[in-house]
C-alpha cells in the first residue's frame, strides 16, 4: 500500500465511522440539547470525534509499516491518544469530575512527553535555548492546556475540524519545504481523519465532535509538534504559529475571565469566535474566516520560521499580534451580556 492510498483509506474510514457514530447517538439519545450557553438551536447528536480518534490510531501501525512513523513515536502517540479519547468518551456519556479528567490529561501528556524526549532546545534570535527540566514542565502544562483549549474552541459548526485540517496541511507543507518530508505524513493522516468527520460536521452540522474528539485533537497536535521538533527544532515554532487562532482566543479569554474572578471551569459563550458567530449570524462565515487566517496569514510566517528565514520567536510574535487585537476587539472574555456592536 502506498501512503497516498493510506490517506484515502483514512478519509473514507473516518467518514463511514462518523455515520455509524451518528446512528448510534440517535438510537441512544446521546444528544447535545441547546441551552442558554449554547451556540446552536437544534438538538444534535454528539460524539462524532470518535471517528477521528479511530481513523488516526487504527492506521498508525500501518503508517509504521510504511515507514512514516518510528516505533518510539508510535509508543508515544497510541497510548496517550487512547487515554485522552477514553476520558472524553466517558465524559460525553456520563459526567467525570474535573479533577479526575485533569489528572488523566496530565498522565497522558506526561507519557507523550516522556517517549518523545521532552522539549528540545529551541532556536531563538540569540542562539539556542535549552530549558532542561523546566522546559519539560512547561511543555507538559502546554500540552494539557492545548488539549483543553481545543475542547473550549469546539463551539460552533465546522471550526474544530477546519482548524485541524488547515493546521495539519500547513504543518505538512512546512515539513516538506524544510527538507523533512518524512515528518509530513502523520499530520496528513490526522488531517484526513478530521476531513472525514468534517463532512458530517460542516455547517449546518449533523453531528458534533464531543470531548473525545476535541481533547484527542488538541493532544495529538501538540504531540506532532514535539515529534517534529525532535528532528528539526525550528518546526516547533511553525506548529505554534499555525495554532495561533485557537491559542490566542482561548488564552486571552481565560486570562480575561480570571482577572474578573469568574469561575473559569463554568460554561460560557465569551470566546471571540462565539461572539463573532452571533455578531455575523453565521457559523460558516466564522469557521471559514479562521481557516483563511490559518492559510493566508499564519502559514506564510510558519513556513518562514520552518525554513529558518526568520527567527521562529520573532515570527510567532508578529503572527500573534494582530490576532490579539482581533479577539480584544470582539470582546473575548467579557460577560455574555456585553456584546460588541
Amino acid at each position: 500500500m502506498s501512503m497516498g492510498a493510506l490517506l484515502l483509506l483514512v478519509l473514507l474510514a473516518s467518514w463511514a465511522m462518523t455515520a455509524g457514530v451518528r446512528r448510534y447517538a440517535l438510537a441512544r439519545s446521546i444528544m447535545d440539547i441547546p441551552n442558554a450557553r449554547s451556540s446552536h438551536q437544534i438538538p444534535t447528536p454528539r460524539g462524532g470525534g470518535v471517528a477521528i480518534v479511530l481513523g488516526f490510531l487504527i492506521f498508525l501501525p500501518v503508517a509504521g509499516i510504511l515507514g512514516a512513523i518510528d516505533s518510539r513515536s508510535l509508543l508515544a502517540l497510541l497510548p496517550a491518544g487512547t487515554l485522552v479519547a477514553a476520558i472524553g468518551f466517558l465524559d460525553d456519556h456520563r459526567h467525570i469530575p474535573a479533577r479526575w479528567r485533569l489528572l488523566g490529561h496530565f498522565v497522558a501528556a506526561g507519557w507523550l512527553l516522556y517517549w518523545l524526549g521532552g522539549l528540545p532546545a529551541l532556536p531563538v534570535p540569540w542562539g539556542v535555548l535549552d530549558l532542561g527540566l523546566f522546559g519539560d514542565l512547561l511543555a507538559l502544562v502546554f500540552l494539557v492546556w492545548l488539549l483543553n483549549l481545543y475542547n473550549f474552541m469546539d463551539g460552533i459548526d465546522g471550526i474544530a475540524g477546519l482548524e485541524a485540517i488547515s493546521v495539519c496541511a500547513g504543518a505538512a507543507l512546512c515539513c516538506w519545504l524544510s527538507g523533512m518530508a518524512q515528518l509530513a505524513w502523520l499530520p496528513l493522516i490526522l488531517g484526513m481523519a478530521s476531513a472525514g468527520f468534517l463532512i458530517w460536521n460542516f455547517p449546518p452540522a449533523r453531528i458534533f465532535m464531543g470531548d473525545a474528539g476535541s481533547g484527542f485533537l488538541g493532544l495529538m497536535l501538540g504531540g506532532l509538534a514535539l515529534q517534529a521538533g525532535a528532528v528539526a527544532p525550528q518546526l516547533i515554532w511553525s506548529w505554534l504559529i499555525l495554532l495561533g487562532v485557537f491559542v490566542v482566543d482561548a488564552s486571552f479569554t481565560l486570562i480575561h475571565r480570571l482577572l474578573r474572578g469568574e469561575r473559569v471551569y463554568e460554561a460560557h459563550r465569551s470566546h471571540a469566535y462565539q461572539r463573532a458567530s452571533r455578531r455575523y449570524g453565521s457559523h460558516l462565515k466564522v469557521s471559514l474566516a479562521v481557516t483563511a487566517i490559518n492559510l493566508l496569514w499564519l502559514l506564510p510566517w510558519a513556513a518562514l520560521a520552518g525554513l529558518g528565514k526568520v527567527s521562529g520567536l520573532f515570527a510567532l510574535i508578529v503572527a500573534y499580534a494582530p490576532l490579539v487585537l482581533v479577539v480584544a476587539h470582539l470582546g473575548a472574555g467579557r460577560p455574555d451580556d456585553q456584546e460588541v456592536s
Side-chain angles (χ1 to χ4, degrees), residues 51-71:
I52 299 175
V53 176
L54 296 177
F56 184 68
L57 294 184
I58 287 175
F59 290 101
L60 272 186
V62 180
I65 294 171
L66 295 175
I69 179 174
D70 60 275
S71 58

Side-chain angles (χ1 to χ4, degrees), residues 44-324:
T44 305
R46 68 174 185 268
V50 169
I52 299 175
V53 176
L54 296 177
F56 184 68
L57 294 184
I58 287 175
F59 290 101
L60 272 186
V62 180
I65 294 171
L66 295 175
I69 179 174
D70 60 275
S71 58
R72 194 174 181 89
S73 296
L74 188 64
L75 187 56
L77 295 170
L78 263 175
T82 301
L83 176 57
V84 165
I87 293 170
F89 180 83
L90 291 173
D91 196 48
D92 280 336
H93 287 72
R94 60 185 67 181
H95 178 69
I96 298 177
R99 63 182 180 277
W100 296 116
R101 290 202 310 271
L102 195 60
L103 176 61
H105 294 166
F106 270 103
V107 169
W111 175 275
L112 184 68
L113 194 62
Y114 172 79
W115 286 104
L116 291 178
L119 181 70
L122 300 175
V124 290
W126 56 88
V128 177
L129 183 63
D130 187 353
L131 296 173
L133 179 59
F134 176 75
D136 292 339
L137 293 174
L138 191 64
L140 178 65
V141 172
F142 179 75
L143 284 174
V144 174
W145 174 228
L146 188 60
L147 187 165
N148 283 278
L149 76 80
Y150 215 94
N151 182 29
F152 300 155
M153 294 294 291
D154 177 30
I156 61 173
D157 298 352
I159 192 170
L162 283 168
E163 171 77 0
I165 293 167
S166 55
V167 168
C168 286
L173 179 61
C174 289
C175 292
W176 180 76
L177 291 174
S178 304
M180 303 291 173
Q182 75 276 12
L183 296 174
W185 292 115
L186 288 186
L188 289 176
I189 293 172
L190 185 59
M192 294 301 272
S194 302
F197 162 78
L198 180 65
I199 295 171
W200 294 93
N201 183 245
F202 197 80
R206 287 170 283 176
I207 188 169
F208 292 156
M209 185 176 290
D211 290 353
S214 58
F216 173 83
L217 276 176
L219 185 65
M220 290 300 99
L221 291 170
L224 293 181
L226 288 171
Q227 190 235 6
V231 179
Q234 76 276 11
L235 289 173
I236 286 188
W237 293 115
S238 299
W239 276 95
L240 290 175
I241 291 166
L242 289 166
L243 289 163
V245 172
F246 272 31
V247 170
V248 170
D249 191 351
S251 299
F252 187 97
T253 302
L254 176 70
I255 293 170
H256 202 131
R257 298 183 73 221
L258 278 172
L259 291 175
R260 284 208 320 276
E262 290 189 16
R263 297 178 180 177
V264 294
Y265 51 83
E266 290 185 348
H268 63 94
R269 298 193 306 163
S270 61
H271 286 102
Y273 78 91
Q274 292 169 316
R275 290 182 170 278
S277 69
R278 295 195 297 275
R279 182 177 184 181
Y280 298 108
S282 171
H283 289 198
L284 179 61
K285 289 179 181 178
V286 175
S287 295
L288 291 179
V290 168
T291 307
I293 292 170
N294 289 345
L295 297 178
L296 301 179
W297 173 248
L298 296 178
L299 177 55
W301 286 109
L304 289 173
L307 288 168
K309 299 296 184 182
V310 298
S311 160
L313 179 60
F314 171 79
L316 182 140
I317 292 171
V318 173
Y320 275 26
L323 302 182
V324 174

